[in-house]
Amino acid sequence: MVESMENLSTKEKITRIGAEIIVKEGLRKFTAKNIADKLGITDAAIFKHFKSMDEIIMDIIDKYVSRCSQSAIEAVEKGTTVKEKLELLLKAHIDVLEETRGAVPVLCFELSRSEDVAFKEKLNNFVENYKSKISQIIREGQAEGSIKEDLDPEDVAMFFIGSIQAKVFAYVISGKEGRIIEHPDQFISIIFNGIMKQ
Amino acid sequence: MVESMENLSTKEKITRIGAEIIVKEGLRKFTAKNIADKLGITDAAIFKHFKSMDEIIMDIIDKYVSRCSQSAIEAVEKGTTVKEKLELLLKAHIDVLEETRGAVPVLCFELSRSEDVAFKEKLNNFVENYKSKISQIIREGQAEGSIKEDLDPEDVAMFFIGSIQAKVFAYVISGKEGRIIEHPDQFISIIFNGIMKQ
DNA sequence: TTGTAAGGTTAGGTATAACTAACTTTTAGG
DNA sequence: CCTAAAAGTTAGTTATACCTAACCTTACAA
């Protein structure tokens, strides 16, 4: 199911197979038995590694969020122009997205309406934090005149996040293997053309 | 929960409340008991109107798909320029989207990986059909020189669908009430700027 | 060698969802 | 007003998910 997993701990295998299931089969198939079957153990053994199924999901999200936030900080530091900052940020995000097989955007969508406060808070914090980082760069771009002034920075930020979400959606429904965003440069270019001046 | 439902049949109420639950609470809360509770009846009564829970979902999808496809045909007939055709098509899609509270894009996402062949087929047919309609207009635009030639029409079509998906995503995670796409004209304009020449 | 901890196992408890059967109530048409 | 169908009820059955308890097995450190 997931390539080169032999040398991983069972705990790590559980999170990876779990993420793969969420993307390929949906949350409703994210069950202890399904994971256990793919691992060749019993469902009860899962609970030797995690207290609950929710803890597995938390683990998957935490890894993504921390890596994504870290890359965003680095992009803002390294980029010299507004365009470059946004490019670096998007590219880093795409890298993390590919590595985690798109599991977190799927979870974002499917768990955002969960009554579970812990999930909601974690995901909302991530989206808000990420949104504020992007809209700050957008405002900078509007001040220097490279980005259209009539656009609402928050809307543009959501357009960025939404566009990545849309790519994951397209990937998920295509059922294809391989990369989620096949042509990152073309993707970034379409997004930019929508918001940059002339 | 849903405004002005008093004069509707129980069957219609079930599909409307069902759609509302899918969007606001997620598929995992789409249960006979949840719907029944909100309607003030028992779960067993649901099965007087529908053979199964899946049949309710089918009903929701069917209505959306047929109305969306119909509007697409009308948009192509009525629009004189390529830009106008795309505008009419998007506006009609947005109208249907608002009326159905965004349930179908959510279902598209959550059911696309279902092992259920009937769902998969219905949703894939819709996406493929819609995609081919849009990419045909895009090709027309590229021929007349109004749309960038270097863009792949199918990619652009998926960008359209994905952007609507993204708006539903933003709506869903915001937890807000009201319209899914608050500024349709600004939304359509961002999309167009990304693909039109200069 | 022996005891302990990690990581398995089987069996089962509890909750909940889908759906059904048998019954009652409501409603609308003749 | 009567009756039959529609639409509700209660009280299940069945299946499945999460999780626990009690029990094995093996590795390895004292």
Side-chain angles (χ1 to χ4, degrees), chain B residues 78 80 138 140:
Chain B
K78 284 182 193 163
T80 50
I138 299 296
E140 211 181 297

Side-chain angles (χ1 to χ4, degrees), chain B residues 11 14-15 46-52 55-56 59:
Chain B
K11 185 165 183 174
I14 291 170
T15 55
I46 301 288
F47 300 96
K48 298 285 173 181
H49 301 274
F50 293 94
K51 277 182 201 153
S52 67
E55 209 181 69
I56 303 176
D59 232 49

Side-chain angles (χ1 to χ4, degrees), chain B residues 64-65 68-69 122-131:
Chain B
Y64 186 88
V65 167
C68 233
S69 300
K122 200 175 276 288
L123 290 171
N124 282 359
N125 276 352
F126 170 58
V127 172
E128 282 307 313
N129 186 291
Y130 202 71
K131 201 167 85 176

Side-chain angles (χ1 to χ4, degrees), chain A residues 10 41-42 44 48-49:
Chain A
T10 303
I41 57 176
T42 58
K48 298 285 176 181
H49 302 274

Side-chain angles (χ1 to χ4, degrees), chain A residues 17-51:
Chain A
I17 288 180
E20 192 88 6
I21 288 171
I22 287 165
V23 177
K24 295 283 181 205
E25 303 175 42
L27 244 200
R28 293 198 294 186
K29 288 289 162 58
F30 176 76
T31 63
K33 192 171 182 309
N34 195 8
I35 296 174
D37 283 352
K38 289 187 168 98
L39 254 172
I41 57 176
T42 58
D43 62 339
I46 301 287
F47 300 96
K48 298 285 176 181
H49 302 274
F50 293 93
K51 276 183 201 153

